[in-house]
Amino acid sequence: IMRKALLSAAFIAACFTASAQKLTYIPWTENALMQGTAISDNGKYVGGSDTEGRAFIYNTENGEIKYFVSDNLGSDDSGLADADVRSITDDGIGVGYIDEIAAKFDFSTVKYEKLLDETSIANYITSTGKVFGLTYDNSYAQTPVMIADGKKTVLPKSSEAWLGFENDGMGIRGGNADGSVLVGYGQDNFSTYPMMIWALNDDNTTYSVIPACKKYLDATMDFSGPQDFDTFEGASISRNGKYVALNIHGKNDYDHGIVIGRYNVETDTYEAITCPEASADVFYYADAVANDGTIIGYAEDQSSYARYAIIVKAGETEAKRMSEVFPTLTDIAKMDANESNTPSSITPDGRYIQGFGYVDMDDSNLCWGTYYIDTQATDGVDNAASEAKSSKVVASYSIDGKKNRPAAANRLHINKLANGKAVKVVK
């Protein structure tokens, strides 16, 4: 009887743990085109862009959304007026780009400012306001930069002789909380984006570049080097600066494509992550990593480009479907079934996970849905687009304006809703 009681208690505890998550969508009745790719460390703000070229920041506490739009958007055919938010502070200050220039976006004032006067991207902002990213020229050769107190500082680049491969430039992807450790990449001649790390020197001003990939990446034409990998890319670094989520490929592995790994910055070592569904046709990609080493990302079918959410929990070395780890959040499985689910960011404490994917606008139409998961909340889904009557599709048009044509796969369609709004959807 005691054993039975203990088992029952364990079962109840397991059920309680499994149900302690909640998935919330940003409303898609207002905008069915949003692709959120960033979340603030405190989980308060989510940002990204939509497929029309507008940047946005959303307040998860009160449901308020702010858009940042170039004055040139829609006025030319160049497609260069797009905007995007790549990183957000706890105070709602985002950075990214607009008009192909690094920019800062302020949620409170709904204003943006361009940070440079040259083609550039801001990929990361620290809590103290330091901004990191890259500039690029007409040939797309990149230069890593820091922007602080209105001043641009060019960060160092390794020489090709030291790297051991042709290299057109370097860029910064992200950094730890205070910006003293940064992760980025080189522009090698095989487009594998070899991992680079920049570390703040003891003068507290300048940086040194560390080609962390050199120990692991065989960049020779015939793979005659001693290294094990032909791809060793740093996708993201944790806010404590300890872990980097890797995209890697063994140079002699002909049965699998890209898989993921977990790199320890402090020890310059990596852990291989088991990717159960990996094959020559299914690649795994990491997008973000928390302070405890939890990695989120997706598995992608290279023929259909279908994406399925994956997670590697702290202390584990196997990538699992997120739908299996959070079984009560059935919308994760639904987005997987719609073949488009991209977890994009995670907070340092691992509590909030953010991503986007295809959601069911109605019985016959898909649209983009941006979501965030609270892994410590009560179970459930908040569908912020719950205005069932007003969001009912009353007419559907193809992009050539013809009404009620059957929706073709991967084609853009325009749906007119009962509330008079029109949204573009991919089906």
Side-chain angles (χ1 to χ4, degrees), residues 85-119:
V85 172
R86 298 288 184 90
S87 176
I88 315 170
T89 69
D90 288 347
D91 299 323
I93 302 296
V95 295
Y97 64 84
I98 194 165
D99 294 324
E100 289 200 311
I101 296 175
K104 181 184 293 186
F105 307 92
D106 191 328
F107 180 87
S108 62
T109 64
V110 205
K111 294 181 179 179
Y112 68 84
E113 62 173 308
K114 294 179 180 178
L115 299 175
L116 297 172
D117 57 3
E118 57 191 308
T119 51

Side-chain angles (χ1 to χ4, degrees), residues 52-314:
E52 291 288 277
R54 298 169 292 191
F56 74 86
I57 299 178
Y58 177 80
N59 186 322
T60 65
E61 294 181 355
N62 62 20
E64 192 175 11
I65 190 167
K66 304 287 182 66
Y67 291 97
F68 305 88
V69 186
S70 166
D71 292 337
N72 301 316
L73 187 65
S75 63
D76 60 40
D77 298 323
S78 66
L80 304 182
D82 289 356
D84 189 19
V85 172
R86 298 288 184 90
S87 176
I88 315 170
T89 69
D90 288 347
D91 299 323
I93 302 296
V95 295
Y97 64 84
I98 194 165
D99 294 324
E100 289 200 311
I101 296 175
K104 181 184 293 186
F105 307 92
D106 191 328
F107 180 87
S108 62
T109 64
V110 205
K111 294 181 179 179
Y112 68 84
E113 62 173 308
K114 294 179 180 178
L115 299 175
L116 297 172
D117 57 3
E118 57 191 308
T119 51
S120 50
I121 300 172
N123 279 325
Y124 179 61
I125 181 171
T126 68
S127 57
T128 57
K130 289 183 179 179
V131 178
F132 297 90
L134 55 100
T135 62
Y136 57 96
D137 60 22
N138 291 335
S139 68
Y140 295 100
Q142 300 176 11
T143 298
V145 298
M146 174 181 70
I147 306 167
D149 300 321
K151 178 184 176 183
K152 180 188 81 170
T153 300
V154 174
L155 300 185
K157 295 185 287 186
S158 296
S159 68
E160 290 185 350
W162 176 242
L163 290 173
F165 55 82
E166 294 180 22
N167 189 64
D168 290 333
M170 294 183 177
I172 305 295
R173 278 203 170 122
N176 67 345
D178 63 3
S180 60
V181 181
L182 311 168
V183 72
Y185 54 87
Q187 288 182 280
D188 64 311
N189 46 326
F190 294 108
S191 298
T192 67
Y193 302 100
M195 181 173 74
M196 305 290 166
I197 290 176
W198 286 261
L200 187 66
N201 294 321
D202 61 4
D203 61 8
N204 206 37
T205 302
T206 62
Y207 284 80
S208 293
V209 59
I210 304 163
C213 61
K214 188 174 182 180
K215 178 179 175 180
Y216 302 100
L217 179 71
D218 186 349
T220 61
M221 291 293 293
D222 57 357
F223 296 138
S224 58
Q227 302 93 334
D228 294 328
F229 297 95
D230 58 31
T231 298
F232 199 84
E233 176 189 18
S236 177
I237 190 170
S238 58
R239 291 294 187 268
N240 59 3
K242 183 175 182 178
Y243 296 107
V244 174
L246 299 171
N247 297 322
I248 57 179
H249 182 258
K251 66 180 183 181
N252 296 316
D253 186 354
Y254 303 105
D255 297 323
H256 300 90
I258 302 295
V259 293
I260 61 180
R262 183 190 286 124
Y263 177 83
N264 189 312
V265 177
E266 297 171 356
T267 61
D268 185 24
T269 57
Y270 77 94
E271 289 180 302
I273 301 298
T274 300
C275 299
E277 299 175 64
S279 68
D281 298 316
V282 176
F283 293 9
Y284 278 64
Y285 293 98
D287 267 340
V289 58
N291 283 344
D292 62 5
T294 297
I295 298 172
I296 61 161
Y298 57 91
E300 183 178 72
D301 187 305
Q302 297 303 292
S303 57
S304 66
Y305 299 106
R307 290 184 177 184
Y308 314 100
I310 61 97
I311 185 170
V312 187
K313 300 191 77 173

